[in-house]
């Protein structure tokens, strides 16, 4: 009989399920909960039904992420529904691809909707100063600061509880975004209006809909797109009026 620990914000309980052939839950707990390749390797050659997927989600913390996105966002609900962005953490490969598109650059780096802060922390480690994340969810801000403390970077990176739509980007030269497709058209307008010519924007998971990327990295869900603001402005000027 296998025991799988499930978490919800106010309860912790054990689910007992006989003859369920999953990896040891303690092995699952030691994985990177946001890296699908870790989970795929653990489940290689196994058959998992719908109940099994639910238990995996609980065991790896995905259920907690869903609850955070849906319930624990008091500040988030002040943002108009059409501009809200759910929290989906970036995988290790997504972070690496984003950083590869910023290689050789320096200066200020900001992550719009910084989630658990991993992109900001990685940018700081690679020499970007200052490295700033904007996030409305107070729980994710606490998690970000914990990750910074654990990495020895607490107080060196900055996580701010501010609405990304109200942030002034005029002094930002490196911007990263992992946002939902529904808000990207509005984001394009904000970026083009505020960013300096020398700025570069790197989008993960979904590309900016009407901008032509300067370069890309990765494939599938791990793909990232880099956009140079000066090139985008020049392309806009060539468009017929």
């Amino acid at each position: 009989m296998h025991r799988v620990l499930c978490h919800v914000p106010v309860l912790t309980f054990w689910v007992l399920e006989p003859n369920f052939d999953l990896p040891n839950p303690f092995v699952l707990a030691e994985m990177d909960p946001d890296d699908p390749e870790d989970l795929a390797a653990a489940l290689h050659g196994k058959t998992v039904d719908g109940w099994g997927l639910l238990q995996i989600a609980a065991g790896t913390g995905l259920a907690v992420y869903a609850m955070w996105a849906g319930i624990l966002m008091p500040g988030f609900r002040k943002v108009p529904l059409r501009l809200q962005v759910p929290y989906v953490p970036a995988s290790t490969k997504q972070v690496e691809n984003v950083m590869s598109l910023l290689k050789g650059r320096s200066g200020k780096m900001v992550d719009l909707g910084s989630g658990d802060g991993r992109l900001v922390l990685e940018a700081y480690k690679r020499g970007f100063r200052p490295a700033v994340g904007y996030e409305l969810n107070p729980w994710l801000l606490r998690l970000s600061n914990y990750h910074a403390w654990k990495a020895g970077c607490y107080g060196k990176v900055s996580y701010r509880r501010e609405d990304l739509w109200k942030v002034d980007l005029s002094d930002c030269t490196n911007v990263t975004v992992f946002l939902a497709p529904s808000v990207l058209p509005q984001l394009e307008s904000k970026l083009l209006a505020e960013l300096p010519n020398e700025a570069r924007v790197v989008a993960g998971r979904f590309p900016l809909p009407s901008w032509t990327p300067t370069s890309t990295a990765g494939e599938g869900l791990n793909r990232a797109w880099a956009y140079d603001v000066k090139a985008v402005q020049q392309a806009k000027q060539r468009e017929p009026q």
Side-chain angles (χ1 to χ4, degrees):
M1 181 175 290
H2 295 268
R3 298 183 301 173
V4 180
L5 181 63
C6 300
H7 297 280
V8 296
V10 295
L11 297 175
T12 299
F13 58 93
W14 288 96
V15 178
L16 302 181
E17 176 68 12
N19 304 317
F20 189 65
D21 189 20
L22 273 179
N24 188 317
F26 295 103
V27 174
L28 287 175
E30 292 173 356
M31 298 176 193
D32 179 353
D34 309 322
D35 195 333
E37 290 197 355
D38 280 356
L39 189 57
L43 295 175
H44 182 66
K46 300 181 182 295
T47 300
V48 182
D49 58 14
W51 175 239
L53 290 174
L54 177 61
Q55 295 189 60
I56 292 168
T60 57
L62 297 179
V64 176
Y65 293 147
M67 296 301 290
W68 275 353
I71 298 175
L72 301 177
M73 288 190 166
F76 189 72
R77 290 180 176 162
K78 297 178 182 178
V79 179
L81 181 62
R82 65 186 179 85
L83 298 181
Q84 291 185 10
V85 180
Y87 166 58
V88 180
S91 69
T92 300
K93 284 191 173 181
Q94 287 171 337
V95 172
E96 183 60 36
N97 288 336
V98 168
M99 289 298 111
S100 72
L101 294 174
L102 292 175
K103 187 175 181 179
R105 295 180 61 84
S106 60
K108 184 176 182 179
M109 177 272 187
V110 300
D111 187 23
L112 301 179
S114 55
D116 61 9
R118 64 186 64 193
L119 274 171
V120 175
L121 189 56
E122 187 62 28
Y124 179 84
K125 292 177 181 178
R126 300 196 185 201
F128 290 91
R129 302 287 190 277
V132 183
Y134 293 100
E135 174 59 55
L136 276 178
N137 186 328
W139 298 91
L140 290 176
L141 288 171
R142 293 186 179 96
L143 182 60
S144 299
N145 282 309
Y146 168 73
H147 287 161
W149 170 81
K150 189 176 179 182
C153 297
Y154 184 78
K156 299 176 182 178
V157 294
S158 178
Y159 299 107
R160 302 176 184 174
R161 190 179 180 188
E162 295 184 36
D163 183 352
L164 67 87
W165 300 104
K166 298 178 181 179
V167 172
D168 180 5
L169 302 175
S170 60
D171 65 341
C172 301
T173 52
N174 303 282
V175 178
T176 59
V177 294
F178 273 74
L179 300 177
S182 59
V183 303
L184 293 181
Q186 295 95 319
L187 183 66
E188 285 183 339
S189 299
K190 177 178 175 63
L191 295 174
L192 203 57
E194 298 181 17
L195 289 177
N197 284 345
E198 64 272 20
R200 169 168 281 200
V201 179
V202 179
R205 202 174 284 125
F206 299 105
L208 297 177
S210 69
W211 290 14
T212 301
T214 304
S215 56
T216 62
E219 299 294 336
L221 290 177
N222 294 320
R223 194 172 188 183
W225 296 259
Y227 306 88
D228 291 324
V229 170
K230 184 176 182 179
V232 173
Q233 290 175 334
Q234 291 172 342
K236 294 290 184 182
Q237 291 171 358
R238 292 193 296 267
E239 291 179 355
Q241 298 299 319

